[in-house]
């Protein structure tokens, strides 16, 4: 894993048990047990959450190792206020504090944060995941492309979420290639939430069905909020 850096961005590029990787990194910081303070930007954290982190770290002493660790997951999903607060924290904290940030697309992290963090590409894919789960071989490549966090993939496999979306895309592709009607499928697409839309567009991108991809974006009547969501998805659709 290399030398320990005080402020690091883990750019997850392959399917990984992210929590286990973070724990291994923390073990490199100290051989004493350290419980990190964790924020996850995918949970829509606010500036106040960062302020609370600052209060906790300023009011508590280091543990027996002399080190304190905080983890900020999915930093690319943080809003501007959160990023500005984190920036101040990074610049002002003491040398006993270590910050571990994670992202699945470093190009979506704002430059001011990115420039303050040393970057590590995490590409140590754990092939054992697919050996432990009864997944048909035809799905392995697409699942490896869609997911970088093993726990998220496991959850979606257990409730058949991702298989349903792949099935939807296959039906959509089949109708297009056979000049069938896509009206009902387009109407179903409109009802999907952000996470489902993101996965559908990525599946079409993976399958190189750009004409359907573009048609969904241009011709489907959706409200302004979903147009904004499309823009966010498209920024990182290749990642």
């Amino acid at each position: 894993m290399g030398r320990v850096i005080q402020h690091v961005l883990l750019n997850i590029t392959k399917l990984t048990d992210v929590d286990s990787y973070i724990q291994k990194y923390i073990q490199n910081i100290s051989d004493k047990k350290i419980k990190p303070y964790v924020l996850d930007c995918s949970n829509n954290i606010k500036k106040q959450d960062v302020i609370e982190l600052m209060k906790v770290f300023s009011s508590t002493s280091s543990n027996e190792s002399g080190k304190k660790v905080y983890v900020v997951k999915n930093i690319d999903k943080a809003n501007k206020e959160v990023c500005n607060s984190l920036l101040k924290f990074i610049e002002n904290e003491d040398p006993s504090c270590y910050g571990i940030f994670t992202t699945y697309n470093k190009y979506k992290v704002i430059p001011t944060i990115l420039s303050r963090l040393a970057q590590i590409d995490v590409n140590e894919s754990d092939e054992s995941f697919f050996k432990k789960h009864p997944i048909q071989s035809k799905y392995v490549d697409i699942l490896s492309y869609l997911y970088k966090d093993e726990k998220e993939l496991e959850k979606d496999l257990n409730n058949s979420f991702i298989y349903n979306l792949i099935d939807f895309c296959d039906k959509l592709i089949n109708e297009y290639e056979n000049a069938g009607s896509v009206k009902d499928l387009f109407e179903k697409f409109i009802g999907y939430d952000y996470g489902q839309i993101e996965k559908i567009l990525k599946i079409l991108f993976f399958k190189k069905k750009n004409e359907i991809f573009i048609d969904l974006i241009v011709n489907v009547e959706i409200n302004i909020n979903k147009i904004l969501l499309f823009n966010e998805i498209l920024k990182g659709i290749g990642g």
Side-chain angles (χ1 to χ4, degrees), residues 9 191 206 226:
L9 175 69
F206 177 83
K226 283 198 172 175

Side-chain angles (χ1 to χ4, degrees), residues 1-10 25-26 28-29 68-70 93 95 97-101 116-121:
M1 207 174 273
R3 71 185 182 88
V4 176
I5 305 163
Q6 190 174 3
H7 307 296
V8 64
L9 175 69
L10 303 180
Y25 193 89
I26 292 173
N28 279 353
I29 294 173
K68 293 181 282 188
V69 178
Y70 65 95
E93 66 183 358
C97 294
Y98 288 78
I100 302 170
F101 296 73
R116 303 307 196 280
L117 305 174
Q119 298 173 37
I120 297 176
D121 287 336

Side-chain angles (χ1 to χ4, degrees), residues 8-238:
V8 64
L9 175 69
L10 303 180
N11 182 44
I12 316 298
T13 62
K14 289 189 177 180
L15 185 64
T16 305
D17 184 340
V18 179
D19 289 338
S20 293
Y21 191 94
I22 291 171
Q23 194 54 49
K24 288 176 185 175
Y25 193 89
I26 292 173
Q27 288 170 0
N28 279 353
I29 294 173
S30 172
D31 56 1
K32 306 292 185 182
K33 188 172 182 179
I34 301 175
K35 184 177 180 180
Y37 190 107
V38 180
L39 293 174
D40 189 341
C41 299
S42 64
N43 293 333
N44 195 30
I45 69 168
K46 304 286 192 282
K47 177 181 177 180
Q48 187 58 42
D49 296 306
V50 181
I51 292 172
E52 184 61 29
L53 164 64
M54 294 177 179
K55 286 180 180 177
V56 169
F57 269 53
S58 63
S59 63
T60 58
S61 59
S62 320
N63 56 37
E64 58 182 313
S65 71
K67 310 286 176 59
K68 293 181 282 188
V69 178
Y70 65 95
V71 175
V72 181
K73 294 182 176 181
N74 301 297
I75 183 59
D76 53 287
K77 298 183 185 299
N79 62 41
K80 188 174 181 180
E81 271 197 334
V82 167
C83 286
N84 287 339
S85 297
L86 284 169
L87 194 59
K88 292 177 183 177
F89 189 47
I90 292 170
E91 292 174 339
N92 296 329
E93 66 183 358
D94 65 68
S96 68
C97 294
Y98 288 78
I100 302 170
F101 296 73
T102 74
T103 181
Y104 298 108
N105 190 341
K106 65 182 179 182
Y107 300 107
K108 293 177 71 175
V109 180
I110 67 168
T112 49
I113 291 286
L114 199 61
S115 65
R116 303 307 196 280
L117 305 174
Q119 298 173 37
I120 297 176
D121 287 336
V122 180
N123 49 23
E124 301 175 3
S125 181
D126 183 5
E127 300 298 333
S128 65
F129 180 89
F130 291 108
K131 295 176 182 176
K132 291 184 293 186
H133 295 76
I135 298 170
Q136 294 181 47
S137 58
K138 67 178 181 178
Y139 292 118
V140 170
D141 286 344
I142 191 168
L143 293 176
S144 296
Y145 169 73
L146 292 171
Y147 292 89
K148 301 295 181 285
D149 185 346
E150 288 187 2
K151 288 185 173 59
E152 181 190 1
L153 173 54
E154 189 165 32
K155 175 174 70 77
D156 287 352
L157 287 173
N158 287 338
N159 61 23
S160 298
F161 167 85
I162 190 58
Y163 289 133
N164 292 336
L165 294 186
I166 293 174
D167 182 58
F168 171 84
C169 289
D170 287 342
K171 287 179 181 176
L172 189 58
I173 291 167
N174 184 63
E175 290 295 335
Y176 259 84
E177 292 180 345
N178 293 286
S181 172
V182 294
K183 180 182 178 182
D184 290 344
L185 291 171
F186 270 23
E187 288 180 355
K188 185 174 182 179
F189 176 78
I190 295 170
Y192 282 128
D193 62 25
Y194 176 89
Q196 293 166 324
I197 288 173
E198 180 180 30
K199 288 290 191 298
I200 288 169
L201 294 183
K202 283 194 170 188
I203 291 167
L204 293 174
F205 184 88
F206 177 83
K207 291 176 176 284
K208 295 181 170 57
K209 298 299 178 180
N210 294 344
E211 72 280 8
I212 306 176
F213 184 99
I214 293 169
D215 210 3
L216 282 171
I217 295 170
V218 173
N219 295 323
V220 176
E221 293 183 7
I222 56 176
N223 61 41
I224 186 64
N225 289 329
K226 283 198 172 175
I227 290 174
L228 294 174
L229 292 181
F230 268 19
N231 289 336
E232 285 301 308
I233 291 169
L234 291 173
K235 287 179 184 176
I237 197 70

